[in-house]
Amino acid sequence: MKNDNWWCGRFRGCGYKLTVPREAILDVLSLTDKHLSAEDIYLAVHKKYPTIGLTTVYRTLDILVSIGLIYKFDFCDGRARFELAEDSKGKKHHHHLVCTNCGRIVDYTDFIDDEIELLQLTEKGLSKKYNFKITGHLIQFYGLCDKCR
Amino acid sequence: MKNDNWWCGRFRGCGYKLTVPREAILDVLSLTDKHLSAEDIYLAVHKKYPTIGLTTVYRTLDILVSIGLIYKFDFCDGRARFELAEDSKGKKHHHHLVCTNCGRIVDYTDFIDDEIELLQLTEKGLSKKYNFKITGHLIQFYGLCDKCR
DNA sequence: ATTGCTACTGAAAACCATTTTCATTAAATG
DNA sequence: CATTTAATGAAAATGGTTTTCAGTAGCAAT
Ligand SMILES: [Mn+2]
Ligand SMILES: [Mn+2]
Ligand SMILES: [Zn+2]
Ligand SMILES: [Zn+2]
């Protein structure tokens, strides 16, 4: 196990051990631009390390979400889906376009300038009015993709 | 069964029969400002009509979502939650503030005008760029409520 | 290197919200 | 009222996720 990966520091800092399954799972997530389910990840990891179990995948994903290394999404297809968080690997903050017919998901970062500005204003306003400490947001547009419309 | 409820037209228009369970379920949803789960609704309905089954609640909720009378949300507590759609009963379009600690959900309509304006711009832009026909959006802010922060 | 302490692991079983099945009942229509 | 067909409730099944538990491996101290 190499201890020089970009995420080792964050991992150790939270008191977690570095293990083969955890590294393998992070590798899979680093190398895709898709939104993988736990089973997708299990299958991908399984090719290289056939002994790693689905249970460990679920457990690792929980940890990765809790320390903010990945995001967990619900695109309403009956399973959770995961994606590397932004800072992590040259990833940009983005929102999602979801096709309600075929399930296709498009990441978009366009128009984000106006959006970011309004989001920050809204967060500030909500924060004050409802006395919430806002830590994140979820923004998804639903519709029909070019193939399904 | 009274046939003069505001939603009877919409219901019949879609080819669905008017039944006691369906009326009871809509009644429950009309009378709350909370975001109820299928089981919440089942329990509430059960007080007045103890014979109505949970299965029927699930089936009715599916229909109500499909004809746009209610919305289905996932607030990440392991079950779907439902809420009357806007036009329906003096309800206003709103977004949600979700406490990630205690699960409290706040409806907010503040800032909604600016948000709507930006949303329409964004939808138009996305529509053109990705050739999506956009039909809806989901916007939620996450954080800690006044009691949990 | 070896040890000891724990956290981590995989397999199997359990969990639990939701869906399916199927025999029965009730709504609609004329 | 009779006919048609959708709707119903109970029970069983489903399937993604979580829990249990006995064995294993990371890693800090020796
Ligand atoms: Mn994405
Ligand atoms: Mn609401
Ligand atoms: Zn599509
Ligand atoms: Zn709270």
Side-chain angles (χ1 to χ4, degrees):
Chain A
M1 162 116 25
K2 39 193 164 107
N3 280 1
D4 55 351
N5 270 317
W6 56 273
W7 45 265
C8 289
R10 175 105 70 115
F11 224 78
R12 281 234 176 70
C14 294
Y16 294 112
K17 293 179 178 171
L18 293 172
T19 67
V20 171
R22 287 171 182 176
E23 182 173 44
I25 289 164
L26 269 168
D27 268 351
V28 167
L29 284 166
S30 300
L31 292 173
T32 188
D33 59 346
K34 299 207 184 73
H35 303 82
L36 302 179
S37 67
E39 195 184 3
D40 292 336
I41 295 166
Y42 165 72
L43 291 173
V45 156
H46 196 261
K47 286 180 189 157
K48 197 167 174 188
Y49 302 98
T51 65
I52 295 177
L54 182 56
T55 311
T56 295
V57 173
Y58 275 107
R59 277 188 292 231
T60 300
L61 291 171
D62 279 349
I63 291 174
L64 294 177
V65 168
S66 78
I67 64 180
L69 235 41
I70 66 175
Y71 292 136
K72 180 179 186 175
F73 289 101
D74 168 49
F75 295 122
C76 301
D77 66 342
R79 69 207 63 201
R81 297 191 169 270
F82 301 86
E83 168 179 61
L84 223 54
E86 45 252 3
D87 327 305
S88 310
K89 199 77 178 184
K91 268 235 164 183
K92 284 217 166 179
H93 180 72
H94 62 267
H95 297 158
H96 292 122
L97 218 47
V98 183
C99 178
T100 50
N101 183 248
C102 71
R104 192 149 73 99
I105 294 160
V106 174
D107 291 349
Y108 76 88
T109 51
D110 327 80
F111 317 109
I112 215 81
D113 288 343
D114 288 336
E115 278 190 32
I116 291 292
E117 194 176 336
L118 180 83
L119 283 177
Q120 283 175 347
L121 277 175
T122 305
E123 287 189 8
K124 197 166 291 182
L126 289 172
S127 214
K128 189 172 292 175
K129 169 148 188 182
Y130 296 103
N131 199 26
F132 256 69
K133 175 174 170 33
I134 294 182
T135 55
H137 60 253
L138 172 67
I139 297 191
Q140 295 175 185
F141 288 92
Y142 295 98
L144 295 172
C145 75
D146 48 0
K147 285 168 195 147
C148 295
R149 64 186 304 175
Chain B
M1 162 117 26
K2 38 191 162 102
N3 280 2
D4 54 352
N5 269 318
W6 56 272
W7 44 266
C8 290
R10 174 106 70 117
F11 224 79
R12 281 233 177 71
C14 295
Y16 293 112
K17 293 179 178 173
L18 293 172
T19 67
V20 172
R22 287 170 182 177
E23 184 173 44
I25 289 164
L26 269 168
D27 269 351
V28 167
L29 284 166
S30 300
L31 293 172
T32 187
D33 59 345
K34 300 206 184 74
H35 304 82
L36 302 179
S37 67
E39 195 183 5
D40 292 337
I41 295 167
Y42 166 73
L43 291 172
V45 155
H46 196 261
K47 286 180 188 155
K48 197 169 177 187
Y49 302 99
T51 65
I52 295 176
L54 181 56
T55 310
T56 296
V57 173
Y58 275 108
R59 277 188 292 231
T60 301
L61 291 171
D62 278 349
I63 291 173
L64 294 177
V65 168
S66 77
I67 63 180
L69 236 42
I70 65 174
Y71 292 137
K72 179 179 187 175
F73 289 101
D74 168 49
F75 295 122
C76 302
D77 65 342
R79 69 208 63 201
R81 295 190 170 271
F82 301 87
E83 167 178 61
L84 223 53
E86 42 251 44
D87 328 305
S88 310
K89 200 78 178 183
K91 268 234 165 181
K92 284 217 165 177
H93 180 72
H94 63 267
H95 297 159
H96 293 121
L97 214 47
V98 183
C99 177
T100 49
N101 183 247
C102 71
R104 192 149 73 99
I105 294 159
V106 174
D107 291 348
Y108 74 89
T109 52
D110 323 73
F111 324 108
I112 208 86
D113 289 341
D114 289 335
E115 275 190 41
I116 293 293
E117 194 177 336
L118 181 84
L119 283 177
Q120 283 174 347
L121 275 176
T122 305
E123 288 187 7
K124 196 166 294 181
L126 289 173
S127 216
K128 187 172 295 175
K129 170 147 188 180
Y130 297 103
N131 199 27
F132 254 69
K133 177 175 169 33
I134 294 182
T135 55
H137 59 253
L138 172 67
I139 298 192
Q140 295 177 183
F141 287 91
Y142 294 97
L144 295 171
C145 74
D146 49 358
K147 286 166 195 149
C148 295
R149 62 186 303 173

